[in-house]
Amino acid sequence: MDRRAAPRSSRIPRRRPHIDTASNGASRYSLAPDDHTPDDGPAEVIDLAFEPEPPVRRAPRLAHTTAPREERAYLVGLDSGRRTDGFSATESLRELGQLVNTAGGRVVGATLQRRPHPDPAHYVGAGKLEEIVGQRAELGYSVVVFDDPLTPSQQLNLEQSLGVKVLDRSALILDIFASRARTREASLQVELAQHEYLLPRLRGQWQHLERMEGAIGSRGPGETQLETDRRLIGQRITRLKKQIQQVRQQRALQRSRRRATGIPVVALVGYTNAGKSSLMRAIAGADVLAMDAVFATLDPVTRRVGSQSGEWFLLTDTVGFMQKLPTQLISAFRATLEELDTADLLLHVVDGTAKTIAAQMATVAHTVEELGLSQTPMLTVVNKADGLTLADGRPVTTEADLEALATQHTLPVQGEVIFTSATAGLGIQTLRQRLLWEFYGESGIAARYADAAHPALGTASEAV
Ligand SMILES: Nc1nc2c(ncn2[C@@H]2O[C@H](COP(=O)(O)OP(=O)(O)OP(=O)(O)O)[C@@H](O)[C@H]2O)c(=O)[nH]1
Ligand SMILES: [Mg+2]
């Protein structure tokens, strides 16, 4: 493949554009002074104001449901003071609130506890637990959501102490994925992740029967109901893994066919809600779902993008990343993420208006590394530029403004950054040209792909 160096020299970050993250003025929840995160000042207020979610059309649910439905959620986080991923405990808790909203719940309160390690039995200390219990009458919460993975025994102990349903971040994310799964493949992957998450948490809804000594049916060599449940779920997991293996093989076949065409592949990667699908729409004119919600996209969609002179590349949209993603999900979605293996270029889409932009970028970089893709060339695209302002305070409205942003930003990016607004249609042409340049150079090598009647090609999604 003919690949060249970037046409523009690497931008030297100078000044970060002002990023306007005005709150919508909804309710705020104060934290006790001793709970504040060290970097946020003493009188911290966790602003858990979220934009209202659009109504979510839910697919029929295939597997277990764990997350709140229109429930009043109380959030609990831990500030160990040792996080290295760039997210403060407060920001992480705010993101957890966003997940609760996406899952259909409403956040009614939140608390952070500063302690170096979670309590092995209850995650938080006894005092904090009492405080949470004490808030129940006032806030009327029906579910308590913890920002970190709980061990099965912590979850059980907490449910007993709090008297309400207890979830952790993983369960919430799994639930959102379950509600978003549209295709058979996504459903299989989500169901596998859910079963793997639930298996160690199965704890005998049937225990009362086991305790009834001498009861008819509980004697003899038979296994307990719990063992039966475990065995059945184990069998289901084996079956799901086999089915996913088949999906993987089909995908591998499709990929090798695609590779045989010699058409370059560009894959969109990025933090969830960064605007990957919107950018896909803008660049490829593709009819893909874009919505203001986390994890809107679960299945990779590939579209052709080309120029009139017969230069082409394929653009693939993928599932978004997030900090603290349940490991079960990553492994279940490996088949999907394998699409990235054959990408010639990763387009890292960043939400330029995100308060946690640097931490989000670090999460994506880390995930890309974990997926073994560090060697794949990556181009950073800072999207939602329409929500940014220039150094002189002017809002970004023109292509020239995007150029100015590119020279002003202080993002932690080595090399080239392209600014876009997928919704305002800014920077799209530049990005598309830049991608074509990457593979075909200034003059283009139309001759190489002049055979536009190649059976795998069809017509361009949109002419350049
Ligand atoms: N203001 C503004 N909003 C944007 C822009 N691009 C996308 N959005 C909005 O951001 C939200 C998320 O967009 P998506 O395209 O679904 O984001 P995604 O990265 O595909 O998200 P997931 O599939 O959930 O990982 C939607 O509400 C979009 O309308 C942009 O350039 N400017
Ligand atoms: Mg998407």
Side-chain angles (χ1 to χ4, degrees), residues 332-399:
F333 270 74
R334 210 154 263 279
T336 310
L337 295 168
E338 274 169 5
E339 288 296 297
L340 299 173
D341 289 349
T342 46
D344 297 292
L345 180 79
L346 302 178
L347 216 55
H348 177 183
V349 184
V350 180
D351 175 353
T353 64
K355 229 175 152 182
T356 51
I357 185 167
Q360 291 193 3
M361 289 174 78
T363 300
V364 173
H366 181 68
T367 313
V368 162
E369 200 180 306
E370 269 187 348
L371 292 169
L373 301 167
S374 317
Q375 297 309 311
T376 310
M378 188 152 89
L379 180 65
T380 306
V381 176
V382 178
N383 188 39
K384 306 198 185 180
D386 55 293
L388 302 177
T389 48
L390 294 159
D392 60 9
R394 276 188 307 115
V396 173
T397 54
T398 65
E399 299 282 335

Side-chain angles (χ1 to χ4, degrees), residues 6-17 19 279 345-353 357 361 378-385 388 399-421 426-428 430-432 434-435 438:
R8 282 185 261 176
S9 58
S10 300
R11 314 272 188 193
I12 311 293
R14 263 188 265 154
R15 199 168 147 201
R16 185 196 286 245
I19 291 173
L279 212 51
L345 180 79
L346 302 178
L347 216 55
H348 177 183
V349 184
V350 180
D351 175 353
T353 64
I357 185 167
M361 289 174 78
M378 188 152 89
L379 180 65
T380 306
V381 176
V382 178
N383 188 39
K384 306 198 185 180
L388 302 177
E399 299 282 335
D401 292 342
L402 295 182
E403 283 291 314
L405 270 183
T407 60
Q408 291 171 5
H409 80 88
T410 56
L411 294 168
V413 182
Q414 300 231 310
E416 187 185 351
V417 179
I418 293 182
F419 282 79
T420 59
S421 167
L426 288 172
I428 304 303
T430 310
L431 177 58
R432 197 166 22 184
R434 170 67 186 85
L435 292 170
E438 176 74 19

Side-chain angles (χ1 to χ4, degrees), residues 56 90 133 159 290 308 319 423:
V56 176
T90 311
V133 172
E159 274 179 358
Q308 280 165 338
V319 62
T423 48

Side-chain angles (χ1 to χ4, degrees), residues 277 289 297 317:
S277 302
L289 173 77
T297 304
D317 190 12

Side-chain angles (χ1 to χ4, degrees), residues 272-278 288-291 293 295-299 317-320:
T272 181
N273 211 38
K276 298 176 292 299
S277 302
S278 305
V288 291
L289 173 77
M291 62 193 287
F295 305 124
T297 304
L298 295 192
D299 291 299
D317 190 12
T318 61
V319 62

